[in-house]
PDB file of all heavy atoms in Angstrom:
ATOM      1  N   HIS A   1     -47.517 -57.091  44.956  1.00 97.00           N
ATOM      2  CA  HIS A   1     -47.726 -55.843  45.656  1.00 97.00           C
ATOM      3  C   HIS A   1     -48.002 -54.679  44.713  1.00 97.00           C
ATOM      4  O   HIS A   1     -48.121 -53.528  45.183  1.00 97.00           O
ATOM      5  CB  HIS A   1     -46.477 -55.457  46.549  1.00 97.00           C
ATOM      6  CG  HIS A   1     -46.453 -56.278  47.857  1.00 97.00           C
ATOM      7  ND1 HIS A   1     -46.086 -57.591  47.881  1.00 97.00           N
ATOM      8  CD2 HIS A   1     -46.769 -55.891  49.108  1.00 97.00           C
ATOM      9  CE1 HIS A   1     -46.161 -58.044  49.178  1.00 97.00           C
ATOM     10  NE2 HIS A   1     -46.547 -57.009  49.922  1.00 97.00           N
ATOM     11  N   ARG A   2     -48.062 -54.912  43.450  1.00 97.00           N
ATOM     12  CA  ARG A   2     -48.383 -53.986  42.399  1.00 97.00           C
ATOM     13  C   ARG A   2     -47.424 -52.772  42.358  1.00 97.00           C
ATOM     14  O   ARG A   2     -47.791 -51.607  42.069  1.00 97.00           O
ATOM     15  CB  ARG A   2     -49.786 -53.420  42.550  1.00 97.00           C
ATOM     16  CG  ARG A   2     -50.913 -54.354  42.243  1.00 97.00           C
ATOM     17  CD  ARG A   2     -51.286 -55.210  43.351  1.00 97.00           C
ATOM     18  NE  ARG A   2     -52.667 -55.802  43.228  1.00 97.00           N
ATOM     19  CZ  ARG A   2     -53.189 -56.600  44.186  1.00 97.00           C
ATOM     20  NH1 ARG A   2     -52.433 -56.965  45.278  1.00 97.00           N
ATOM     21  NH2 ARG A   2     -54.426 -57.040  44.027  1.00 97.00           N
ATOM     22  N   THR A   3     -46.177 -53.037  42.656  1.00 97.00           N
ATOM     23  CA  THR A   3     -45.176 -51.966  42.639  1.00 97.00           C
ATOM     24  C   THR A   3     -44.404 -51.938  41.288  1.00 97.00           C
ATOM     25  O   THR A   3     -43.546 -51.049  41.125  1.00 97.00           O
ATOM     26  CB  THR A   3     -44.129 -52.152  43.762  1.00 97.00           C
ATOM     27  OG1 THR A   3     -43.447 -53.392  43.681  1.00 97.00           O
ATOM     28  CG2 THR A   3     -44.822 -52.034  45.158  1.00 97.00           C
ATOM     29  N   VAL A   4     -44.716 -52.852  40.380  1.00 97.00           N
ATOM     30  CA  VAL A   4     -44.140 -52.836  39.052  1.00 97.00           C
ATOM     31  C   VAL A   4     -45.223 -52.977  38.029  1.00 97.00           C
ATOM     32  O   VAL A   4     -46.326 -53.425  38.364  1.00 97.00           O
ATOM     33  CB  VAL A   4     -43.088 -53.992  38.883  1.00 97.00           C
ATOM     34  CG1 VAL A   4     -41.866 -53.812  39.761  1.00 97.00           C
ATOM     35  CG2 VAL A   4     -43.752 -55.350  39.158  1.00 97.00           C
ATOM     36  N   THR A   5     -44.968 -52.620  36.808  1.00 95.00           N
ATOM     37  CA  THR A   5     -45.908 -52.764  35.701  1.00 95.00           C
ATOM     38  C   THR A   5     -45.389 -53.761  34.645  1.00 95.00           C
ATOM     39  O   THR A   5     -44.214 -54.116  34.677  1.00 95.00           O
ATOM     40  CB  THR A   5     -46.204 -51.394  34.996  1.00 95.00           C
ATOM     41  OG1 THR A   5     -44.905 -50.882  34.572  1.00 95.00           O
ATOM     42  CG2 THR A   5     -46.737 -50.428  36.032  1.00 95.00           C
ATOM     43  N   ASP A   6     -46.270 -54.206  33.789  1.00 96.00           N
ATOM     44  CA  ASP A   6     -45.873 -55.145  32.733  1.00 96.00           C
ATOM     45  C   ASP A   6     -44.813 -54.498  31.842  1.00 96.00           C
ATOM     46  O   ASP A   6     -45.055 -53.379  31.312  1.00 96.00           O
ATOM     47  CB  ASP A   6     -47.112 -55.515  31.941  1.00 96.00           C
ATOM     48  CG  ASP A   6     -46.875 -56.630  31.002  1.00 96.00           C
ATOM     49  OD1 ASP A   6     -46.021 -56.507  30.104  1.00 96.00           O
ATOM     50  OD2 ASP A   6     -47.528 -57.717  31.097  1.00 96.00           O
ATOM     51  N   PRO A   7     -43.707 -55.195  31.654  1.00 95.00           N
ATOM     52  CA  PRO A   7     -42.624 -54.628  30.788  1.00 95.00           C
ATOM     53  C   PRO A   7     -43.070 -54.280  29.372  1.00 95.00           C
ATOM     54  O   PRO A   7     -42.466 -53.466  28.697  1.00 95.00           O
ATOM     55  CB  PRO A   7     -41.493 -55.655  30.835  1.00 95.00           C
ATOM     56  CG  PRO A   7     -41.803 -56.486  32.038  1.00 95.00           C
ATOM     57  CD  PRO A   7     -43.315 -56.443  32.248  1.00 95.00           C
ATOM     58  N   ARG A   8     -44.112 -55.027  28.932  1.00 93.00           N
ATOM     59  CA  ARG A   8     -44.601 -54.846  27.510  1.00 93.00           C
ATOM     60  C   ARG A   8     -45.834 -53.939  27.412  1.00 93.00           C
ATOM     61  O   ARG A   8     -46.367 -53.729  26.402  1.00 93.00           O
ATOM     62  CB  ARG A   8     -44.842 -56.183  26.840  1.00 93.00           C
ATOM     63  CG  ARG A   8     -43.654 -57.120  26.991  1.00 93.00           C
ATOM     64  CD  ARG A   8     -43.856 -58.388  26.161  1.00 93.00           C
ATOM     65  NE  ARG A   8     -42.996 -59.464  26.656  1.00 93.00           N
ATOM     66  CZ  ARG A   8     -42.761 -60.557  26.008  1.00 93.00           C
ATOM     67  NH1 ARG A   8     -43.364 -60.763  24.878  1.00 93.00           N
ATOM     68  NH2 ARG A   8     -41.955 -61.506  26.514  1.00 93.00           N
ATOM     69  N   GLY A   9     -46.395 -53.541  28.583  1.00 90.00           N
ATOM     70  CA  GLY A   9     -47.587 -52.728  28.603  1.00 90.00           C
ATOM     71  C   GLY A   9     -48.822 -53.588  28.366  1.00 90.00           C
ATOM     72  O   GLY A   9     -49.899 -53.061  28.007  1.00 90.00           O
ATOM     73  N   TRP A  10     -48.764 -54.878  28.565  1.00 94.00           N
ATOM     74  CA  TRP A  10     -49.845 -55.760  28.278  1.00 94.00           C
ATOM     75  C   TRP A  10     -50.794 -55.808  29.455  1.00 94.00           C
ATOM     76  O   TRP A  10     -50.537 -55.250  30.550  1.00 94.00           O
ATOM     77  CB  TRP A  10     -49.392 -57.134  27.854  1.00 94.00           C
ATOM     78  CG  TRP A  10     -48.758 -57.162  26.533  1.00 94.00           C
ATOM     79  CD1 TRP A  10     -48.706 -56.097  25.621  1.00 94.00           C
ATOM     80  CD2 TRP A  10     -48.010 -58.238  25.873  1.00 94.00           C
ATOM     81  NE1 TRP A  10     -48.002 -56.458  24.496  1.00 94.00           N
ATOM     82  CE2 TRP A  10     -47.573 -57.768  24.612  1.00 94.00           C
ATOM     83  CE3 TRP A  10     -47.805 -59.534  26.218  1.00 94.00           C
ATOM     84  CZ2 TRP A  10     -46.887 -58.577  23.737  1.00 94.00           C
ATOM     85  CZ3 TRP A  10     -47.054 -60.350  25.353  1.00 94.00           C
ATOM     86  CH2 TRP A  10     -46.644 -59.861  24.070  1.00 94.00           C
ATOM     87  N   VAL A  11     -51.893 -56.533  29.321  1.00 95.00           N
ATOM     88  CA  VAL A  11     -53.023 -56.441  30.276  1.00 95.00           C
ATOM     89  C   VAL A  11     -52.664 -57.058  31.638  1.00 95.00           C
ATOM     90  O   VAL A  11     -51.922 -58.017  31.736  1.00 95.00           O
ATOM     91  CB  VAL A  11     -54.282 -57.081  29.698  1.00 95.00           C
ATOM     92  CG1 VAL A  11     -54.120 -58.628  29.683  1.00 95.00           C
ATOM     93  CG2 VAL A  11     -55.531 -56.699  30.428  1.00 95.00           C
ATOM     94  N   ARG A  12     -53.218 -56.470  32.712  1.00 95.00           N
ATOM     95  CA  ARG A  12     -53.188 -57.004  34.020  1.00 95.00           C
ATOM     96  C   ARG A  12     -54.628 -57.269  34.418  1.00 95.00           C
ATOM     97  O   ARG A  12     -55.501 -56.447  34.262  1.00 95.00           O
ATOM     98  CB  ARG A  12     -52.600 -55.966  34.968  1.00 95.00           C
ATOM     99  CG  ARG A  12     -52.579 -56.300  36.428  1.00 95.00           C
ATOM    100  CD  ARG A  12     -52.280 -55.123  37.283  1.00 95.00           C
ATOM    101  NE  ARG A  12     -53.349 -54.092  37.192  1.00 95.00           N
ATOM    102  CZ  ARG A  12     -53.191 -52.856  36.680  1.00 95.00           C
ATOM    103  NH1 ARG A  12     -52.114 -52.486  36.120  1.00 95.00           N
ATOM    104  NH2 ARG A  12     -54.293 -52.023  36.681  1.00 95.00           N
ATOM    105  N   LEU A  13     -54.930 -58.458  34.921  1.00 97.00           N
ATOM    106  CA  LEU A  13     -56.239 -58.769  35.439  1.00 97.00           C
ATOM    107  C   LEU A  13     -56.132 -58.736  36.954  1.00 97.00           C
ATOM    108  O   LEU A  13     -55.342 -59.501  37.567  1.00 97.00           O
ATOM    109  CB  LEU A  13     -56.692 -60.164  35.000  1.00 97.00           C
ATOM    110  CG  LEU A  13     -56.774 -60.342  33.455  1.00 97.00           C
ATOM    111  CD1 LEU A  13     -57.322 -61.752  33.146  1.00 97.00           C
ATOM    112  CD2 LEU A  13     -57.581 -59.271  32.772  1.00 97.00           C
ATOM    113  N   ASP A  14     -56.900 -57.851  37.525  1.00 96.00           N
ATOM    114  CA  ASP A  14     -56.749 -57.632  39.003  1.00 96.00           C
ATOM    115  C   ASP A  14     -58.032 -57.049  39.556  1.00 96.00           C
ATOM    116  O   ASP A  14     -58.241 -55.841  39.518  1.00 96.00           O
ATOM    117  CB  ASP A  14     -55.574 -56.704  39.258  1.00 96.00           C
ATOM    118  CG  ASP A  14     -55.286 -56.475  40.716  1.00 96.00           C
ATOM    119  OD1 ASP A  14     -55.921 -57.044  41.553  1.00 96.00           O
ATOM    120  OD2 ASP A  14     -54.362 -55.642  40.996  1.00 96.00           O
ATOM    121  N   TRP A  15     -58.890 -57.921  40.041  1.00 92.00           N
ATOM    122  CA  TRP A  15     -60.149 -57.460  40.648  1.00 92.00           C
ATOM    123  C   TRP A  15     -59.944 -56.468  41.819  1.00 92.00           C
ATOM    124  O   TRP A  15     -60.799 -55.645  42.075  1.00 92.00           O
ATOM    125  CB  TRP A  15     -60.962 -58.644  41.174  1.00 92.00           C
ATOM    126  CG  TRP A  15     -61.626 -59.514  40.138  1.00 92.00           C
ATOM    127  CD1 TRP A  15     -61.348 -59.621  38.838  1.00 92.00           C
ATOM    128  CD2 TRP A  15     -62.791 -60.259  40.410  1.00 92.00           C
ATOM    129  NE1 TRP A  15     -62.205 -60.493  38.264  1.00 92.00           N
ATOM    130  CE2 TRP A  15     -63.085 -60.923  39.194  1.00 92.00           C
ATOM    131  CE3 TRP A  15     -63.531 -60.575  41.510  1.00 92.00           C
ATOM    132  CZ2 TRP A  15     -64.191 -61.791  39.037  1.00 92.00           C
ATOM    133  CZ3 TRP A  15     -64.664 -61.452  41.361  1.00 92.00           C
ATOM    134  CH2 TRP A  15     -64.964 -62.051  40.122  1.00 92.00           C
ATOM    135  N   ASP A  16     -58.772 -56.563  42.475  1.00 94.00           N
ATOM    136  CA  ASP A  16     -58.576 -55.809  43.672  1.00 94.00           C
ATOM    137  C   ASP A  16     -57.659 -54.605  43.531  1.00 94.00           C
ATOM    138  O   ASP A  16     -57.198 -54.017  44.498  1.00 94.00           O
ATOM    139  CB  ASP A  16     -58.048 -56.748  44.757  1.00 94.00           C
ATOM    140  CG  ASP A  16     -59.017 -57.829  45.107  1.00 94.00           C
ATOM    141  OD1 ASP A  16     -60.118 -57.569  45.609  1.00 94.00           O
ATOM    142  OD2 ASP A  16     -58.699 -59.026  44.844  1.00 94.00           O
ATOM    143  N   ARG A  17     -57.493 -54.194  42.266  1.00 91.00           N
ATOM    144  CA  ARG A  17     -56.550 -53.135  42.030  1.00 91.00           C
ATOM    145  C   ARG A  17     -56.869 -51.829  42.785  1.00 91.00           C
ATOM    146  O   ARG A  17     -56.075 -51.075  43.216  1.00 91.00           O
ATOM    147  CB  ARG A  17     -56.387 -52.853  40.525  1.00 91.00           C
ATOM    148  CG  ARG A  17     -57.644 -52.394  39.891  1.00 91.00           C
ATOM    149  CD  ARG A  17     -57.598 -52.369  38.349  1.00 91.00           C
ATOM    150  NE  ARG A  17     -58.918 -52.021  37.809  1.00 91.00           N
ATOM    151  CZ  ARG A  17     -59.929 -52.859  37.662  1.00 91.00           C
ATOM    152  NH1 ARG A  17     -59.759 -54.106  38.081  1.00 91.00           N
ATOM    153  NH2 ARG A  17     -61.077 -52.496  37.149  1.00 91.00           N
ATOM    154  N   ALA A  18     -58.234 -51.600  42.955  1.00 89.00           N
ATOM    155  CA  ALA A  18     -58.716 -50.401  43.642  1.00 89.00           C
ATOM    156  C   ALA A  18     -59.415 -50.726  44.887  1.00 89.00           C
ATOM    157  O   ALA A  18     -60.139 -49.854  45.490  1.00 89.00           O
ATOM    158  CB  ALA A  18     -59.602 -49.606  42.706  1.00 89.00           C
ATOM    159  N   ASN A  19     -59.213 -51.915  45.444  1.00 92.00           N
ATOM    160  CA  ASN A  19     -59.931 -52.360  46.602  1.00 92.00           C
ATOM    161  C   ASN A  19     -59.386 -51.603  47.885  1.00 92.00           C
ATOM    162  O   ASN A  19     -58.165 -51.612  48.084  1.00 92.00           O
ATOM    163  CB  ASN A  19     -59.708 -53.901  46.817  1.00 92.00           C
ATOM    164  CG  ASN A  19     -60.657 -54.451  47.886  1.00 92.00           C
ATOM    165  OD1 ASN A  19     -60.965 -53.816  48.886  1.00 92.00           O
ATOM    166  ND2 ASN A  19     -61.070 -55.685  47.676  1.00 92.00           N
ATOM    167  N   PRO A  20     -60.237 -50.957  48.666  1.00 92.00           N
ATOM    168  CA  PRO A  20     -59.723 -50.337  49.863  1.00 92.00           C
ATOM    169  C   PRO A  20     -58.985 -51.239  50.842  1.00 92.00           C
ATOM    170  O   PRO A  20     -58.224 -50.752  51.670  1.00 92.00           O
ATOM    171  CB  PRO A  20     -61.017 -49.759  50.523  1.00 92.00           C
ATOM    172  CG  PRO A  20     -61.992 -49.680  49.416  1.00 92.00           C
ATOM    173  CD  PRO A  20     -61.692 -50.804  48.484  1.00 92.00           C
ATOM    174  N   ALA A  21     -59.221 -52.513  50.691  1.00 94.00           N
ATOM    175  CA  ALA A  21     -58.510 -53.509  51.572  1.00 94.00           C
ATOM    176  C   ALA A  21     -57.004 -53.351  51.392  1.00 94.00           C
ATOM    177  O   ALA A  21     -56.209 -53.675  52.334  1.00 94.00           O
ATOM    178  CB  ALA A  21     -58.897 -54.913  51.267  1.00 94.00           C
ATOM    179  N   ARG A  22     -56.528 -52.910  50.220  1.00 94.00           N
ATOM    180  CA  ARG A  22     -55.101 -52.785  49.971  1.00 94.00           C
ATOM    181  C   ARG A  22     -54.440 -51.697  50.795  1.00 94.00           C
ATOM    182  O   ARG A  22     -53.193 -51.629  50.813  1.00 94.00           O
ATOM    183  CB  ARG A  22     -54.857 -52.628  48.508  1.00 94.00           C
ATOM    184  CG  ARG A  22     -55.273 -53.862  47.656  1.00 94.00           C
ATOM    185  CD  ARG A  22     -54.751 -53.801  46.225  1.00 94.00           C
ATOM    186  NE  ARG A  22     -53.357 -53.602  46.227  1.00 94.00           N
ATOM    187  CZ  ARG A  22     -52.732 -52.658  45.520  1.00 94.00           C
ATOM    188  NH1 ARG A  22     -53.401 -51.766  44.832  1.00 94.00           N
ATOM    189  NH2 ARG A  22     -51.432 -52.476  45.558  1.00 94.00           N
ATOM    190  N   ARG A  23     -55.262 -50.852  51.356  1.00 93.00           N
ATOM    191  CA  ARG A  23     -54.642 -49.777  52.233  1.00 93.00           C
ATOM    192  C   ARG A  23     -53.923 -50.363  53.443  1.00 93.00           C
ATOM    193  O   ARG A  23     -52.939 -49.865  53.960  1.00 93.00           O
ATOM    194  CB  ARG A  23     -55.690 -48.766  52.680  1.00 93.00           C
ATOM    195  CG  ARG A  23     -56.311 -47.971  51.537  1.00 93.00           C
ATOM    196  CD  ARG A  23     -57.551 -47.169  52.018  1.00 93.00           C
ATOM    197  NE  ARG A  23     -58.244 -46.639  50.852  1.00 93.00           N
ATOM    198  CZ  ARG A  23     -59.510 -46.166  50.952  1.00 93.00           C
ATOM    199  NH1 ARG A  23     -60.121 -46.136  52.137  1.00 93.00           N
ATOM    200  NH2 ARG A  23     -60.096 -45.664  49.829  1.00 93.00           N
ATOM    201  N   THR A  24     -54.510 -51.464  53.948  1.00 92.00           N
ATOM    202  CA  THR A  24     -53.867 -52.130  55.105  1.00 92.00           C
ATOM    203  C   THR A  24     -53.096 -53.404  54.759  1.00 92.00           C
ATOM    204  O   THR A  24     -52.271 -53.869  55.490  1.00 92.00           O
ATOM    205  CB  THR A  24     -54.912 -52.498  56.179  1.00 92.00           C
ATOM    206  OG1 THR A  24     -55.969 -53.305  55.539  1.00 92.00           O
ATOM    207  CG2 THR A  24     -55.543 -51.239  56.747  1.00 92.00           C
ATOM    208  N   MET A  25     -53.473 -54.010  53.567  1.00 94.00           N
ATOM    209  CA  MET A  25     -52.818 -55.198  53.132  1.00 94.00           C
ATOM    210  C   MET A  25     -52.509 -55.046  51.623  1.00 94.00           C
ATOM    211  O   MET A  25     -53.313 -55.416  50.746  1.00 94.00           O
ATOM    212  CB  MET A  25     -53.676 -56.396  53.336  1.00 94.00           C
ATOM    213  CG  MET A  25     -53.032 -57.732  53.040  1.00 94.00           C
ATOM    214  SD  MET A  25     -54.114 -59.153  53.396  1.00 94.00           S
ATOM    215  CE  MET A  25     -54.192 -59.075  55.162  1.00 94.00           C
ATOM    216  N   PRO A  26     -51.370 -54.401  51.297  1.00 95.00           N
ATOM    217  CA  PRO A  26     -51.068 -54.069  49.908  1.00 95.00           C
ATOM    218  C   PRO A  26     -51.126 -55.223  48.943  1.00 95.00           C
ATOM    219  O   PRO A  26     -51.441 -54.992  47.747  1.00 95.00           O
ATOM    220  CB  PRO A  26     -49.693 -53.456  50.017  1.00 95.00           C
ATOM    221  CG  PRO A  26     -49.562 -52.917  51.323  1.00 95.00           C
ATOM    222  CD  PRO A  26     -50.297 -53.938  52.239  1.00 95.00           C
ATOM    223  N   ALA A  27     -50.835 -56.462  49.421  1.00 97.00           N
ATOM    224  CA  ALA A  27     -50.779 -57.574  48.490  1.00 97.00           C
ATOM    225  C   ALA A  27     -52.196 -58.222  48.362  1.00 97.00           C
ATOM    226  O   ALA A  27     -52.349 -59.243  47.688  1.00 97.00           O
ATOM    227  CB  ALA A  27     -49.789 -58.638  48.910  1.00 97.00           C
ATOM    228  N   TYR A  28     -53.251 -57.713  49.024  1.00 96.00           N
ATOM    229  CA  TYR A  28     -54.563 -58.379  48.996  1.00 96.00           C
ATOM    230  C   TYR A  28     -54.946 -58.685  47.560  1.00 96.00           C
ATOM    231  O   TYR A  28     -54.751 -57.886  46.667  1.00 96.00           O
ATOM    232  CB  TYR A  28     -55.621 -57.405  49.600  1.00 96.00           C
ATOM    233  CG  TYR A  28     -56.946 -58.002  49.776  1.00 96.00           C
ATOM    234  CD1 TYR A  28     -57.303 -58.683  50.884  1.00 96.00           C
ATOM    235  CD2 TYR A  28     -57.945 -57.838  48.772  1.00 96.00           C
ATOM    236  CE1 TYR A  28     -58.597 -59.226  51.040  1.00 96.00           C
ATOM    237  CE2 TYR A  28     -59.188 -58.389  48.827  1.00 96.00           C
ATOM    238  CZ  TYR A  28     -59.545 -59.164  50.018  1.00 96.00           C
ATOM    239  OH  TYR A  28     -60.744 -59.708  50.112  1.00 96.00           O
ATOM    240  N   PRO A  29     -55.507 -59.926  47.399  1.00 97.00           N
ATOM    241  CA  PRO A  29     -55.972 -60.928  48.289  1.00 97.00           C
ATOM    242  C   PRO A  29     -54.891 -61.934  48.756  1.00 97.00           C
ATOM    243  O   PRO A  29     -55.217 -62.887  49.447  1.00 97.00           O
ATOM    244  CB  PRO A  29     -57.069 -61.642  47.480  1.00 97.00           C
ATOM    245  CG  PRO A  29     -56.539 -61.621  46.106  1.00 97.00           C
ATOM    246  CD  PRO A  29     -55.880 -60.295  45.959  1.00 97.00           C
ATOM    247  N   PHE A  30     -53.672 -61.711  48.387  1.00 97.00           N
ATOM    248  CA  PHE A  30     -52.546 -62.505  48.908  1.00 97.00           C
ATOM    249  C   PHE A  30     -52.305 -62.134  50.358  1.00 97.00           C
ATOM    250  O   PHE A  30     -52.376 -60.957  50.718  1.00 97.00           O
ATOM    251  CB  PHE A  30     -51.315 -62.389  48.081  1.00 97.00           C
ATOM    252  CG  PHE A  30     -51.436 -62.755  46.677  1.00 97.00           C
ATOM    253  CD1 PHE A  30     -51.804 -61.886  45.671  1.00 97.00           C
ATOM    254  CD2 PHE A  30     -51.150 -64.073  46.269  1.00 97.00           C
ATOM    255  CE1 PHE A  30     -51.940 -62.260  44.327  1.00 97.00           C
ATOM    256  CE2 PHE A  30     -51.267 -64.463  44.938  1.00 97.00           C
ATOM    257  CZ  PHE A  30     -51.663 -63.543  43.972  1.00 97.00           C
ATOM    258  N   ALA A  31     -51.894 -63.138  51.142  1.00 95.00           N
ATOM    259  CA  ALA A  31     -51.345 -62.809  52.410  1.00 95.00           C
ATOM    260  C   ALA A  31     -49.967 -62.155  52.255  1.00 95.00           C
ATOM    261  O   ALA A  31     -49.342 -62.280  51.220  1.00 95.00           O
ATOM    262  CB  ALA A  31     -51.184 -64.109  53.287  1.00 95.00           C
ATOM    263  N   PRO A  32     -49.500 -61.346  53.257  1.00 89.00           N
ATOM    264  CA  PRO A  32     -48.172 -60.773  53.083  1.00 89.00           C
ATOM    265  C   PRO A  32     -47.146 -61.896  52.779  1.00 89.00           C
ATOM    266  O   PRO A  32     -47.046 -62.901  53.459  1.00 89.00           O
ATOM    267  CB  PRO A  32     -47.959 -60.144  54.420  1.00 89.00           C
ATOM    268  CG  PRO A  32     -49.301 -59.862  54.975  1.00 89.00           C
ATOM    269  CD  PRO A  32     -50.178 -60.976  54.494  1.00 89.00           C
ATOM    270  N   LEU A  33     -46.364 -61.671  51.749  1.00 87.00           N
ATOM    271  CA  LEU A  33     -45.425 -62.691  51.259  1.00 87.00           C
ATOM    272  C   LEU A  33     -44.026 -62.346  51.629  1.00 87.00           C
ATOM    273  O   LEU A  33     -43.547 -61.208  51.300  1.00 87.00           O
ATOM    274  CB  LEU A  33     -45.562 -62.809  49.744  1.00 87.00           C
ATOM    275  CG  LEU A  33     -46.922 -63.299  49.204  1.00 87.00           C
ATOM    276  CD1 LEU A  33     -46.936 -63.182  47.698  1.00 87.00           C
ATOM    277  CD2 LEU A  33     -47.186 -64.709  49.620  1.00 87.00           C
ATOM    278  N   ASP A  34     -43.346 -63.225  52.280  1.00 93.00           N
ATOM    279  CA  ASP A  34     -41.932 -63.084  52.531  1.00 93.00           C
ATOM    280  C   ASP A  34     -41.172 -63.741  51.435  1.00 93.00           C
ATOM    281  O   ASP A  34     -41.206 -64.986  51.346  1.00 93.00           O
ATOM    282  CB  ASP A  34     -41.574 -63.672  53.943  1.00 93.00           C
ATOM    283  CG  ASP A  34     -40.121 -63.505  54.308  1.00 93.00           C
ATOM    284  OD1 ASP A  34     -39.297 -63.223  53.431  1.00 93.00           O
ATOM    285  OD2 ASP A  34     -39.809 -63.628  55.502  1.00 93.00           O
ATOM    286  N   PRO A  35     -40.474 -62.968  50.586  1.00 95.00           N
ATOM    287  CA  PRO A  35     -39.830 -63.617  49.416  1.00 95.00           C
ATOM    288  C   PRO A  35     -38.741 -64.584  49.820  1.00 95.00           C
ATOM    289  O   PRO A  35     -38.353 -65.470  48.990  1.00 95.00           O
ATOM    290  CB  PRO A  35     -39.203 -62.395  48.647  1.00 95.00           C
ATOM    291  CG  PRO A  35     -39.186 -61.325  49.683  1.00 95.00           C
ATOM    292  CD  PRO A  35     -40.301 -61.501  50.601  1.00 95.00           C
ATOM    293  N   THR A  36     -38.206 -64.545  51.031  1.00 94.00           N
ATOM    294  CA  THR A  36     -37.179 -65.501  51.433  1.00 94.00           C
ATOM    295  C   THR A  36     -37.705 -66.904  51.685  1.00 94.00           C
ATOM    296  O   THR A  36     -37.006 -67.882  51.597  1.00 94.00           O
ATOM    297  CB  THR A  36     -36.442 -65.011  52.672  1.00 94.00           C
ATOM    298  OG1 THR A  36     -37.307 -64.951  53.755  1.00 94.00           O
ATOM    299  CG2 THR A  36     -35.782 -63.669  52.408  1.00 94.00           C
ATOM    300  N   ILE A  37     -39.033 -67.002  51.974  1.00 93.00           N
ATOM    301  CA  ILE A  37     -39.631 -68.307  52.250  1.00 93.00           C
ATOM    302  C   ILE A  37     -40.615 -68.747  51.207  1.00 93.00           C
ATOM    303  O   ILE A  37     -41.078 -69.866  51.190  1.00 93.00           O
ATOM    304  CB  ILE A  37     -40.269 -68.395  53.691  1.00 93.00           C
ATOM    305  CG1 ILE A  37     -41.419 -67.387  53.748  1.00 93.00           C
ATOM    306  CG2 ILE A  37     -39.240 -68.083  54.765  1.00 93.00           C
ATOM    307  CD1 ILE A  37     -42.224 -67.535  55.030  1.00 93.00           C
TER     308      ILE A  37
END
């Protein structure tokens, strides 16, 4: 969900970091993930 950053400040590869799709699906391209399952 991009709510945390790398603890060491190292690179993140993320084609969708600025994708407008994340406005409605913050985890895009992942489906919404329920951490309990």
Side-chain angles (χ1 to χ4, degrees):
H1 281 77
R2 290 84 157 179
T3 59
V4 293
T5 58
D6 189 299
R8 309 187 198 192
W10 290 353
V11 72
R12 174 194 68 246
L13 302 183
D14 183 4
W15 282 25
D16 297 295
R17 63 192 175 279
N19 192 328
R22 295 192 54 233
R23 296 171 189 164
T24 54
M25 187 178 291
Y28 185 88
F30 297 92
L33 297 171
D34 183 339
T36 63
I37 63 172

